Amino acid sequence: MTRRLEEGKLVVASHNPGKVREIAHLLAPFRLEVVSAGDLDLAEPEETGDTFRANAELKALAAAQASGLPALADDSGLCVNALNGAPGVHSARWAGPTRDFDFALEKLRRGMIEAGLSDTSAYFVCGLALAWPDGHIEYFEGRVDGELTWPPRGENGFGYDPIFIPDGHELTFGEMEAQAKHRMSHRADAFRQLVDACFGK
Ligand code: IMP
């Protein structure tokens, strides 16, 4: 049976202040006190998994066991069908240590040309894991499908947003207002599932 989270402290297992802020915002309607892994000085485990699920679960579990509190972690990325799902869990790493997304987008474009460029379909995935100190884990996965386009368009968003057009739309995620993206994104999909299962009335 799905374990629910009633109230109290919740650790967001991330050292990225932007991500912690976004998650705290999404959880604002619930009676939870959000603290980050950074605030608690928790070590950041290496993302050694080869699936979104494995990485989200290992981050959530490490934070729950180190803090003695329930902990939430996410792992996300872009999967390109013509590249057999790459960059996938390596999405952040494709941008290198300086997080150079011009470099990552160019690497992707070259890979697509080598693959023949005919299939431009891709999807973003967001895996969300909620772990408790006793080792119990709940996992949810959100997804948004779309097409890749070149050249990149739009200054909003981050990462691969300027080349991704969600199905049924004409603007890239990089051209959309943040609120429009957030209504349809892989992260929103995963959070809806988490809230319904673990915090719902
Ligand atoms: P994570 O922080 O390990 O989950 O890395 C996720 C990486 O996937 C980010 O650095 C981006 O490269 C990519 N990514 C995930 N979600 C999005 C999104 O909504 N837009 C653009 N890129 C994303």
Side-chain angles (χ1 to χ4, degrees):
M1 212 176 94
T2 307
R3 192 182 288 184
R4 299 169 66 82
L5 194 60
E6 302 299 345
E7 56 187 272
K9 280 191 180 169
L10 173 69
V11 179
V12 175
S14 171
H15 289 252
N16 173 341
K19 196 180 263 189
V20 173
R21 246 194 328 271
E22 189 178 319
I23 293 178
H25 181 74
L26 286 159
L27 298 181
F30 305 97
R31 285 187 297 169
L32 294 164
E33 187 189 333
V34 173
V35 285
S36 79
D39 293 338
L40 299 178
D41 244 347
L42 304 181
E44 239 177 320
E46 219 185 309
E47 296 185 14
T48 50
D50 52 18
T51 59
F52 295 107
R53 178 173 199 146
N55 282 331
E57 290 190 351
L58 75 83
K59 287 187 275 189
L61 197 55
Q65 291 182 333
S67 64
L69 296 166
L72 181 67
D74 81 335
D75 197 53
S76 55
L78 177 72
C79 302
V80 179
N81 288 318
L83 303 181
N84 298 316
V89 293
H90 302 293
S91 294
R93 270 167 273 179
W94 269 34
T98 59
R99 295 285 178 264
D100 180 350
F101 276 93
D102 291 339
F103 176 81
L105 299 187
E106 181 55 22
K107 183 169 169 180
L108 199 51
R109 191 182 70 87
R110 284 169 193 260
M112 302 279 296
I113 289 170
E114 272 167 36
L117 256 182
S118 52
D119 178 6
T120 56
S121 64
Y123 53 96
F124 277 116
V125 173
C126 175
L128 267 186
L130 178 58
W132 280 261
D134 68 359
H136 183 87
I137 302 181
E138 297 290 346
Y139 177 75
F140 307 92
E141 197 164 283
R143 168 173 171 153
V144 59
D145 286 88
E147 297 287 332
L148 300 184
T149 185
W150 270 274
R153 300 194 322 242
E155 303 294 326
N156 301 336
F158 67 100
Y160 299 89
D161 281 343
I163 57 165
F164 184 84
I165 304 175
D167 284 347
H169 296 265
E170 287 179 3
L171 298 182
T172 66
F173 268 173
E175 293 173 309
M176 284 185 187
E177 296 296 334
Q179 284 191 340
K181 175 189 167 187
H182 291 158
R183 272 196 299 274
M184 69 182 82
S185 76
H186 46 311
R187 211 161 281 110
D189 183 20
F191 264 92
R192 270 193 292 271
Q193 296 176 47
L194 168 80
V195 164
D196 285 352
C198 297
F199 309 151
K201 301 269 159 9

